[in-house]
Every structure is written in structure tokens, then in C-alpha cells.
Amino acid sequence: MPLTSPRLWVVATPLGNPDDLSPRAREILQAADLILAEDTRRAAALCARCGIHGRRFLSFYDHNEAERQEEVLRLLREGRTLALISDAGTPLLADPGYRLVRACRKEGLPVSPVPGPSAPVAALSAAGIAPLPYTFLGFLPRDAAGRENLLAAFAHAPGSLIFFERKDRLKESLILAARILGARDLAVCRELTKTHEEFILGRLDSNGGISPELPIPLLGEITVIIGPPEQVERTPREEVAQLARLELARGGKPREVARRVQSAARGWSGKEIYALLRDAGDSAEQ
């Protein structure tokens, strides 16, 4: 396929080491009429480091993707060659671009990938945690309730879980993950492909802790891998229901009661515990 063929190219860019930009990606970025980038200054700096000169950039990020979409589609209809990049790694994976690619597909406008660096894949390839199957969760939600709901929804998913997290929320999120997911292998991967690349291997324990204790704060971009569920004997429903009744009688806020029940049971998600508490509360009122 000619590199100048009019289309939207979805181009993977380096996570940190500029030498990871593929020759094909470099050629496409040089040939593109316009480069769509989350941060045009970072994109220009990357191109300069890689010897790509004289390019035009258009900012394209989460908060302007919707308003920029029609302009981009118009350029593609006119036969322009556009390249979509993110700040680092493969676009669309936790980065903007999905709505644009979907709109292109609906209109029959050609879209082609230029594969390359991807933080989830890079982390998984070198962490030593079971790679298949795996579920990529993107960035964890900012609020604690959102993080709890997301982790609970995937508590029983087979395989490993991979997500991005900010350094200032990392410890809190891992303690929450330990409480919800139970004992599992853990890898905290930071600064992938960069000078200070580091893989911190440890464990989430069934008591809601992390071992070894993480050095805080951890600097740089962080990718977390939590290993697959370990085979545990699930506490019988009757025992958990009895626990629910006892803990309800002790009192406390619903979340505190649910946490006490879940810490005493094995193999039960937060959603299941809340359902049991609701049933136990309904029974007590009758």
C-alpha cells in the first residue's frame, strides 16, 4: 500500500525511547498532510528528535475530539493523508481517537494501523505474570467509588488485569484492589523503555495489603499488572449470609459492613456482598 495513499493512519509512537519509532511510522509521519496529536508541542519535539521536519499539527484530545471530528472527516473526504498519534504508545488504547475511527468506518473512509509500542503489551512481556488471557482497563477512574466499581466488575474475570494509575493514587488503588481481588501476583512497571525503567514485583494479600511495601512516591508513568485469580475455596453462601446478618447487627455504614463481611469470606465480590446484605436487611425487617 503506498504510504501517501489518502487515509487516516493510526500511528504508534515511542513510550520513551525515540529509537522505538519504526521506519514505516517515520515515513508516514513525514508524508502526512496533517498530524493529529494530543499535545502538538510534544508531537513536534518527537518529530524533531526523529528527523521529521516541516509537518503541520492539529491538536486532537479528549476534550476537543467531538468538535474537531467533522473538520478531520472533511479533510479525509478531500483526499488528504492524516496521521493520528497519542502522547506515547498506540492511539485509542486509553487515548482519544475511537469516535473518529468509528466515524471513518461508517463513511467508508480508509483507516490503517501502523503498529508499534504499547505500554500494556510492553509491561506484560517483561513482568513475568501470566499473559493470557488479560484484560486492559485503561486509566482507573479518579474517584474511589468509580475505582471500586470497576475493579469489582472484573473481580472474577479470568486472567490478568492491566491498568494505568497516577503515582499519587497508586498506593490507595492497590490497597483497594487487594481488598476486592484478594491474593494475587502484582507488578508495578514504571518508565517503560526509559533510562529509569523499573519493574517492582510483589503481591496483593487477602487481608487487603501489599508486599513488599512500595516506595512512595514512585515517579514517572506507571502501568500496573495484577495476576489472575488464585484458586480459592469459595465460602458457602449460607455462611456468608450468616456473616451478613451478624455484621448488620453490629451496625456501621453500609460500606464498612460490606468490607467486614468480604474480609471474612473467600471468593465473594463486593457486588455479591451488597446483594446479600440487602437480602439480610429485608429479612430482618419482616
Side-chain angles (χ1 to χ4, degrees):
M1 181 188 303
L3 296 182
T4 55
S5 174
R7 66 186 54 242
L8 176 66
W9 296 95
V10 182
V11 182
T13 55
L15 301 175
N17 190 324
D19 289 340
D20 289 338
L21 186 72
S22 72
R24 182 166 176 252
R26 181 180 286 104
E27 192 171 351
I28 286 171
L29 292 177
Q30 183 65 66
D33 296 309
L34 187 66
I35 297 174
L36 312 178
E38 284 187 271
D39 184 326
T40 57
R41 289 174 298 181
R42 290 184 63 168
L46 170 67
C47 287
R49 287 198 304 273
C50 295
I52 300 167
H53 303 292
R55 298 298 84 206
R56 292 178 54 227
F57 301 92
L58 179 69
S59 65
F60 192 85
Y61 53 92
D62 283 327
H63 299 298
N64 77 354
E65 182 177 0
E67 65 185 67
R68 284 278 161 86
Q69 181 169 294
E70 185 53 41
E71 178 184 357
V72 173
L73 291 174
R74 176 181 57 78
L75 292 170
L76 290 168
R77 294 186 201 109
E78 293 174 354
R80 303 294 181 87
T81 298
L82 307 185
L84 171 67
I85 65 174
S86 62
D87 281 345
T90 301
L92 275 72
L93 303 185
D95 292 317
Y98 162 73
R99 289 187 291 270
L100 173 61
V101 170
R102 185 173 177 84
C104 289
R105 291 299 182 193
K106 285 185 175 180
E107 288 200 26
L109 296 168
V111 180
S112 292
V114 184
S118 171
V121 175
L124 199 59
S125 72
I129 290 181
L132 291 174
Y134 72 85
T135 301
F136 176 52
L137 304 180
F139 286 95
L140 290 190
R142 294 182 179 181
D143 61 295
R147 295 196 294 274
E148 183 170 356
N149 290 336
L150 180 63
L151 291 170
F154 290 93
H156 299 295
S160 299
L161 302 177
I162 307 176
F163 56 83
F164 300 146
E165 184 54 296
R166 290 170 53 97
K167 58 181 181 291
D168 56 337
R169 289 198 299 259
L170 178 64
K171 186 172 183 178
E172 177 186 347
S173 294
L174 290 180
I175 291 172
L176 179 64
R179 179 170 63 79
I180 293 173
L181 304 176
R184 300 196 188 193
D185 287 334
L186 169 69
V188 175
C189 318
R190 72 178 194 92
E191 296 292 83
L192 291 170
T193 78
K194 300 178 184 178
T195 302
H196 300 292
E197 176 183 273
E198 184 178 18
F199 286 77
I200 303 172
L201 305 181
R203 294 273 297 170
L204 302 181
D205 67 49
S206 55
N207 295 319
I210 313 163
S211 61
E213 191 72 19
L214 290 175
I216 298 295
L218 282 175
L219 302 180
E221 302 293 329
I222 296 171
T223 303
V224 177
I225 305 175
I226 295 177
E230 299 182 351
Q231 295 298 321
V232 296
E233 185 178 348
R234 184 175 163 94
T235 305
R237 180 184 177 85
E238 297 75 16
E239 291 185 27
V240 183
Q242 177 64 17
L243 279 169
R245 289 190 288 270
L246 291 173
E247 293 299 338
L248 280 171
R250 285 180 57 193
K253 296 180 179 180
R255 182 171 293 181
E256 295 171 355
V257 175
R259 185 177 295 120
R260 296 200 301 263
V261 174
Q262 191 172 23
S263 65
R266 295 174 67 83
W268 286 76
S269 70
K271 184 177 181 180
E272 292 172 314
I273 296 294
Y274 276 111
L276 275 181
L277 289 172
R278 186 170 57 249
D279 292 344
D282 292 343
S283 298
E285 292 175 0
Q286 294 176 359

